[in-house]
Amino acid sequence: NTKGLDPSVKRDFTRLGVTHILALSGMHLAIISAILTFLLKLVGIKRRISYVLTCVGIFFFTAMTGFLVSCLRAALMLIIFNILRCFGKRTDTITLLFLSVTIICIVSPYSIFSMSLQLSFLAMMGCVLSTRIIYAIKFLRRLPFKPLRYVVFSLITTIVITLATIPVLSVKIGGIAILSPILNIILVPIFNLLIYISPIYLAICNVPYLSNFVGGVCEFLCEKSIQLVSFFANLKGIVVPMSNWIQILGIVICVGGLI
């Protein structure tokens, strides 16, 4: 529920190309799916039954969100994936992505004009493409220091996703946010941490002192993240306009090369 967010916060996140952090997406559903799978395994539920119960949990969460298009795309991918696992079958991410989007467009044809669906689809394609790039470049996978690998992998993934979503984002914000890759590397881990902390905070919200400490940490991380976004969003020249045909040509060459 983002109704309580100040419009300026939404504007700043959009301007810097990090608005996906505020949107329900596959990241949230993947975390929920992982938690459900872990808990069901912990209590000794059989594997096939756990797949079915996970699908039910994903469906109810998606229903709670009002079947938002970006959330629905991820939900369909996970549900189809779990159903296939239930029958001992496997598939690839691209097939799941195209199948889920096809189902959405059959049920609701006008969804194809939804910017949320377009960004969700292109971002997921960027994730798939970046994984293949990282896998193809052998020395990247041999980096000895894990934090360094995380930074390098995150940077490549963010750049590829940024390039993939340029056609849609450039229309919305009127250009390209040049600091988007760097800010994603900084902000995504922080908000991932907040997502993991939030269920713990809800569980201990009535525990004196401990709940105050955890709540204070969450509030501090949120406040500093928003201040960081606000600072960069108000800098001049942070968004490169798309009016220059040389820039457009460069982007087309980069995207074409990646494909």
Side-chain angles (χ1 to χ4, degrees):
N1 183 1
T2 58
K3 289 180 180 177
L5 275 178
D6 192 297
S8 64
V9 173
K10 293 182 183 179
R11 185 185 63 246
D12 291 344
F13 272 76
T14 302
R15 180 173 169 80
L16 292 175
V18 291
T19 187
H20 62 90
I21 291 174
L22 303 178
L24 278 166
S25 62
M27 178 180 65
H28 304 83
L29 280 167
I31 292 170
I32 289 167
S33 179
I35 291 171
L36 284 173
T37 303
F38 172 76
L39 291 175
L40 291 169
K41 186 179 180 180
L42 197 65
V43 297
I45 301 293
K46 290 183 179 179
R47 187 176 294 179
R48 287 192 174 183
I49 298 174
S50 72
Y51 292 151
V52 174
L53 292 175
T54 301
C55 289
V56 173
I58 291 168
F59 173 80
F60 276 108
F61 178 81
T62 310
M64 284 170 57
T65 68
F67 295 103
L68 293 172
V69 173
S70 59
C71 192
L72 186 58
R73 190 273 308 160
L76 284 171
M77 286 183 68
L78 283 167
I79 288 171
I80 295 168
F81 175 73
N82 279 291
I83 290 172
L84 289 172
R85 287 177 73 188
C86 189
F87 290 99
K89 304 292 183 181
R90 293 181 179 272
T91 186
D92 59 280
T93 308
I94 292 179
T95 302
L96 288 173
L97 176 61
F98 275 87
L99 184 57
S100 62
V101 173
T102 301
I103 292 170
I104 291 171
C105 291
I106 289 171
V107 176
S108 177
Y110 287 103
S111 296
I112 196 68
F113 299 108
S114 168
M115 188 170 286
S116 296
L117 182 62
Q118 293 166 7
L119 287 173
S120 178
F121 173 78
L122 291 171
M124 194 65 204
M125 283 295 292
C127 286
V128 174
L129 187 58
S130 65
T131 303
R132 297 192 176 190
I133 291 170
I134 291 167
Y135 182 79
I137 305 173
K138 292 182 179 180
F139 79 87
L140 289 176
R141 292 180 282 119
R142 294 174 183 171
L143 291 172
F145 194 45
K146 282 188 177 181
L148 177 61
R149 264 187 290 176
Y150 171 79
V151 171
V152 173
F153 290 178
S154 298
L155 184 61
I156 292 171
T157 302
T158 305
I159 290 171
V160 175
I161 291 173
T162 302
L163 290 172
T165 54
I166 275 175
V168 177
L169 284 176
S170 60
V171 173
K172 188 171 184 179
I173 65 176
I176 306 168
I178 55 177
L179 286 181
S180 177
I182 297 170
L183 284 171
N184 270 289
I185 291 173
I186 296 170
L187 294 174
V188 168
I190 293 173
F191 280 86
N192 279 354
L193 179 64
L194 288 168
I195 290 169
Y196 279 110
I197 289 175
S198 58
I200 299 170
Y201 179 61
L202 288 172
I204 63 169
C205 61
N206 292 319
V207 180
Y209 303 112
L210 184 59
S211 61
N212 291 339
F213 172 75
V214 176
V217 170
C218 291
E219 187 176 352
F220 174 81
L221 290 173
C222 284
E223 184 181 349
K224 295 305 175 185
S225 298
I226 291 171
Q227 287 176 358
L228 181 69
V229 170
S230 177
F231 171 76
F232 283 110
N234 290 299
L235 292 176
K236 290 183 178 180
I238 205 70
V239 176
V240 178
M242 291 288 291
S243 57
N244 193 327
W245 68 270
I246 297 176
Q247 292 168 355
I248 297 172
L249 180 62
I251 292 163
V252 171
I253 292 170
C254 289
V255 174
L258 287 169
I259 291 171

